[in-house]
């Protein structure tokens, strides 16, 4: 049994490998064999860059071979496929903090298997790739890595790589932070190396190539991990090819995953992108300078230079934003005045404007990056009024809000342009239903704070019911219910009347999609609550 720890540090894991030959049973079998059988000759190798740590590792694991080197120098091509098991906790180093030549060697390894590392590549990614490549067919992987693996876009190629190179993948996630004082959310990635590689196969054979079965488990904390037998007994989601999507959906029970797949092909559900372009809001460069309260506008004498803007999700109620809503905000002295100036120099008689710009310069507004790259720092580009707004940061559910005013938005709220003459209000009502809600949780990303973020390209992927099926009555009813805070009743209306009644979706499928939304949303929100005590306790 040949075992490898690619970045063994002081040997916390290496020592366990070294002392536990009996736990390492034939790697072809299931993990259920742990604790039984024995391996007479375990050969354990650890690699560690830091000489002090490497020396500690050798003390912690006297029988192991500890090599003090950059792992990626040591990991030469003939070492690929040579190991029965790889276990470790690779370093988390951001691209910018990671020094050459180690960085370049690690990136070269990724390139050697067709991956294209970017400036977002963190050191743990090449370690995941190398650890997988180190295994023989049937060999086993066990790594502690950041929870980003599940959902961030920059990890998508590595997710696909894992699916292609493994026959089974299990990701164990933790409801509470695992390491005291460390805010990084981690997961345990367990894998079994496939006999043949998906990526090694020509694209024409892709359908025939193997792909991993995946499952995601969620436990409270390390103490709740249970035995490998518990893990082995849990079902996998069926294999999927080249799955670059987020793995968040694997938190769902099989019926939920099936519902997500079925909804992709449900008649009458279309991609939002077919009916709308979603774009970011205005990047002012400094909102305090460019966005004012009406009282400030008046005091500065700038009324002639401002136009309406919204910048907070809370300013958008219901699914329509009308003149009354804007007037209410202005009366409440909310910051809804945007200094949107034409691309021209300030005329000599524009005294109030010149004074405001001078005040901005004395505050250094013109030195901020976004302002500094403009020809005239005070002229904000790409100002246009959208047909609708769309929440970028989602607490409860996604929402499109038709814009019946001349207002635009800052980049906290996306701007939506309706295509092909689709009424924005129909798009807005179409955003309220269980299919769109469920997919927002699968497509968007959340960063531990409980908020779900949808980037424009992700928003365009959301399925919505055909807007041609939405009536004026639906729009008025949903607007009224959402304004009243009765999301459940608005959902009931759209699910029953539109998805089931007009599009003919199976009511059981719609119920399952609603359950998917609730489950993923609650999980996301629950994580932020549970993480809070740790945050407070952490000195960082
Ligand atoms: C998060 S620690 C993990 C240590 C050990 N696996 C454990 O769990 O206790 C990551 C280790 O990777 C080492 N490291 C960083 N870059 C490395 C490289 N290029 N090659 C080998 N080790 C490296 C660091 O020095 C550090 O000790």
């Amino acid at each position: 049994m040949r075992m490898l720890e690619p970045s063994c540090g002081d040997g916390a894991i290496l020592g366990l490998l070294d002392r536990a030959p009996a736990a390492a049973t034939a790697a072809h079998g299931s993990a259920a064999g742990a604790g039984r059988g024995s391996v007479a000759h375990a050969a354990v190798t650890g690699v560690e860059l830091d000489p002090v740590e490497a020396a500690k590792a050798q003390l912690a694991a006297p029988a192991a071979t500890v090599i003090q080197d950059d792992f990626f120098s040591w990991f030469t091509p003939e070492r690929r496929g040579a190991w029965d098991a790889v276990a470790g906790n690779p370093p988390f180093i951001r691209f910018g903090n990671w020094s050459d030549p180690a960085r370049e060697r690690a990136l070269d390894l990724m390139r050697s298997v067709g991956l294209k590392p970017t400036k977002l590549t963190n050191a743990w990614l090449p370690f995941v790739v190398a650890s997988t490549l180190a295994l023989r067919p049937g060999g086993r992987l066990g790594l502690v890595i950041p929870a980003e693996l599940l959902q961030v876009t920059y990890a998508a190629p590595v997710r696909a790589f894992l699916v292609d190179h493994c026959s089974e993948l299990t990701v164990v996630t933790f409801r509470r932070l695992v390491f005291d004082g460390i805010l990084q959310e981690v997961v345990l990635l367990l894998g079994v190396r496939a006999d043949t590689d998906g990526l090694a196969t020509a694209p024409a054979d892709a359908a025939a190539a193997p792909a991993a079965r995946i499952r995601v488990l969620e436990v409270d904390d390390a103490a709740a991990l249970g035995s490998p037998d518990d893990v082995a007994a849990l079902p996998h989601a069926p294999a999927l090819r080249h799955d670059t999507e987020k793995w968040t959906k694997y938190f769902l029970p099989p019926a939920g995953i099936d519902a997500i797949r079925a909804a992709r092909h449900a008649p009458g559900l279309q991609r939002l992108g077919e009916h709308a372009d979603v774009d970011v809001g205005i990047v002012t460069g400094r909102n305090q300078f460019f966005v004012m309260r009406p009282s400030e506008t008046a005091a500065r004498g700038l009324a002639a230079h401002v136009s309406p803007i919204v910048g907070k999700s809370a300013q958008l109620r219901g699914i329509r934003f009308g003149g009354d809503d804007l007037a209410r905000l202005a009366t409440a002295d909310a910051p809804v005045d945007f200094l949107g100036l034409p691309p021209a120099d300030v005329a000599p008689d524009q005294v109030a404007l010149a004074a405001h710009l001078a005040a901005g310069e004395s505050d250094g507004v013109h030195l901020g990056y976004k302002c500094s790259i403009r020809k005239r720092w005070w002229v904000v580009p790409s100002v246009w009024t959208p047909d609708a707004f769309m929440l970028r940061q989602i607490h409860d559910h996604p929402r499109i809000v038709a814009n019946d005013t001349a207002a635009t938005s800052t980049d906290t709220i996306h701007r939506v342009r309706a295509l092909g003459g689709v009424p924005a209000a129909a798009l807005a009502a179409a955003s309220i239903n269980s299919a769109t809600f469920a997919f927002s949780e699968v497509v968007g990303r959340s960063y531990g704070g409980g908020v779900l973020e949808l980037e424009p390209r992700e928003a365009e992927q959301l399925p919505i019911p055909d807007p041609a099926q939405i009536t004026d009555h639906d729009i008025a009813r949903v607007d009224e219910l959402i304004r009243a805070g009765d999301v459940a009743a608005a959902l009931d209306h759209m699910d029953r009347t539109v998805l089931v009644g007009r599009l003919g979706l199976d009511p059981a499928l719609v119920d399952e999609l609603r359950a998917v939304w609730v489950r993923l949303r609650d999980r996301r929100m629950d994580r932020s609550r549970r993480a809070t005590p740790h945050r407070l306790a952490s000195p960082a």
Side-chain angles (χ1 to χ4, degrees), residues 234-269:
L234 291 158
H236 282 87
L240 257 192
R241 287 243 9 107
H242 283 292
D243 199 341
T244 55
E245 287 177 350
K246 295 173 183 148
W247 286 356
T248 328
K249 62 174 173 289
Y250 296 112
F251 282 115
L252 296 167
I257 296 173
D258 287 345
I260 286 284
R261 292 193 179 143
R264 276 188 220 287
H265 308 290
L269 286 182

Side-chain angles (χ1 to χ4, degrees), residues 34-336:
R36 294 193 293 274
S38 70
V39 175
H41 308 288
V44 180
T45 301
V47 184
E48 169 57 47
L49 184 61
D50 182 328
V52 175
E53 293 296 297
K56 288 187 204 161
Q58 190 67 80
L59 286 177
T65 306
V66 176
I67 292 148
Q68 190 265 304
D69 199 353
D70 164 30
F71 175 76
F72 296 95
S73 301
W74 175 85
F75 188 59
T76 47
E78 68 279 8
R79 296 201 154 100
R80 293 187 184 189
W83 306 85
D84 298 297
V86 176
N89 173 9
F92 308 170
I93 313 170
R94 284 205 194 96
F95 196 88
N97 301 340
W98 185 9
S99 51
D100 266 337
R103 181 172 81 186
E104 210 40 46
R105 276 194 288 262
L107 301 185
D108 276 345
L109 177 112
M110 293 182 77
R111 292 182 193 112
S112 76
V113 290
L115 296 167
K116 298 189 184 72
T118 68
K119 289 207 151 67
L120 292 170
T121 304
N122 189 300
W124 63 268
L125 289 154
F127 272 98
V128 168
V129 172
S131 300
T132 310
L133 293 173
L135 292 167
R136 65 162 169 82
R140 287 176 173 269
L141 184 69
L143 296 175
V144 176
I145 50 173
E148 275 107 279
L149 170 73
L150 292 168
Q151 52 168 355
V152 298
T153 307
Y154 73 77
V158 169
R159 286 196 288 272
F161 173 86
L162 286 167
V163 168
D164 283 332
H165 285 76
C166 294
S167 56
E168 279 181 25
L169 289 166
T170 301
V171 183
V172 182
T173 71
F174 301 91
R175 293 192 190 93
R176 302 202 193 97
L177 292 170
V178 175
F179 296 119
D180 277 343
I182 296 181
L183 293 180
Q184 178 68 54
E185 249 192 73
V186 297
V187 300
L188 205 49
L189 171 69
L190 308 175
V192 180
R193 181 79 150 91
D195 289 343
T196 39
D197 292 339
L199 282 184
T201 328
D205 301 334
R213 303 187 301 156
I214 304 183
R215 60 191 167 178
V216 175
L217 325 176
E218 198 173 23
V219 297
D220 275 341
D221 50 26
L225 264 176
S227 80
D229 300 80
D230 302 339
V231 175
L234 291 158
H236 282 87
L240 257 192
R241 287 243 9 107
H242 283 292
D243 199 341
T244 55
E245 287 177 350
K246 295 173 183 148
W247 286 356
T248 328
K249 62 174 173 289
Y250 296 112
F251 282 115
L252 296 167
I257 296 173
D258 287 345
I260 286 284
R261 292 193 179 143
R264 276 188 220 287
H265 308 290
L269 286 182
Q270 303 171 343
R271 267 188 343 106
L272 173 59
E274 289 173 40
H275 299 288
D277 279 338
V278 181
D279 262 298
V280 290
I282 292 177
V283 179
T284 64
R286 178 91 70 99
N287 286 347
Q288 297 99 304
F289 178 82
F290 290 100
V291 181
M292 291 170 273
R293 296 175 187 282
S295 59
E296 294 165 335
T297 310
R300 293 169 190 162
L302 295 173
H305 303 288
V306 298
S307 50
I309 195 164
V310 289
K312 289 203 176 80
S313 309
Q315 292 172 341
L316 301 172
R317 296 162 56 204
I319 58 160
R320 303 191 80 144
F321 183 73
D324 289 351
D325 296 302
L326 184 57
R328 181 179 46 79
L329 291 174
T331 306
D333 206 25
V336 288

